[in-house]
Amino acid sequence: QVQLAESGGGSVQAGGSLRLSCVHSEFTSVSNCVVWFRQPPGKEREGVAGIYTYTDTTYYADSVQGRFTISRDKYKDTVYLHMNSLKPEDTANYYCAARALSECGGDWDVPRIYWNWGQGTQVTVSS
């Protein structure tokens, strides 16, 4: 199983921006549903944004709609999460997950349906 590799986390002040990257060598050759999840301390993992790489159809949680944008660079096998207007409540460990040869359906934000995960990258937003 090919590993996912996330990067781009860090510490910012409220209102700032960050861009997370998720690299997977099969993002271009195989259609994937790729989703960014986050897990705040002591809370459950939640889906933030997803993209189906065959059509570039995107999905967003209500909590990030209008602030976060998921996109992909097909030449770099990379999916990005552009995070703007960050809030302290966005503080969490962010994970990239992928499901090959599968569209993102109504259950795109359910963690248990993904079998390929990255190691996570920490995002901390201070007020």
Side-chain angles (χ1 to χ4, degrees):
Q1 170 165 290
V2 179
Q3 288 293 101
L4 302 174
E6 303 117 327
S7 62
S11 298
V12 295
Q13 290 191 325
S17 299
L18 283 173
R19 187 185 75 171
L20 306 184
S21 299
C22 175
V23 179
H24 183 349
S25 62
E26 293 184 352
F27 276 168
T28 296
S29 60
V30 177
S31 61
N32 276 267
C33 174
V34 182
V35 176
W36 284 98
F37 287 86
R38 66 185 181 188
Q39 188 163 18
K43 297 186 178 181
E44 294 187 354
R45 196 166 294 189
E46 62 175 349
V48 173
I51 187 168
Y52 177 45
T53 62
Y54 184 70
T55 60
D56 286 339
T57 303
T58 57
Y59 306 80
Y60 294 98
D62 290 343
S63 58
V64 305
Q65 182 77 45
R67 298 189 299 122
F68 291 10
T69 302
I70 189 169
S71 65
R72 73 179 182 101
D73 185 331
K74 63 181 181 180
Y75 300 108
K76 296 182 178 179
D77 285 328
T78 303
V79 170
Y80 300 102
L81 184 66
H82 307 263
M83 304 186 295
N84 297 317
S85 303
L86 283 162
K87 304 175 181 179
E89 51 264 43
D90 294 318
T91 295
N93 205 1
Y94 282 70
Y95 299 88
C96 178
R99 195 171 64 184
L101 300 173
S102 176
E103 296 186 55
C104 301
D107 58 353
W108 68 270
D109 57 350
V110 176
R112 60 178 171 81
I113 66 174
Y114 296 90
W115 53 80
N116 199 1
W117 291 83
Q119 79 287 353
T121 184
Q122 179 66 36
V123 171
T124 302
V125 184
S126 58
S127 58

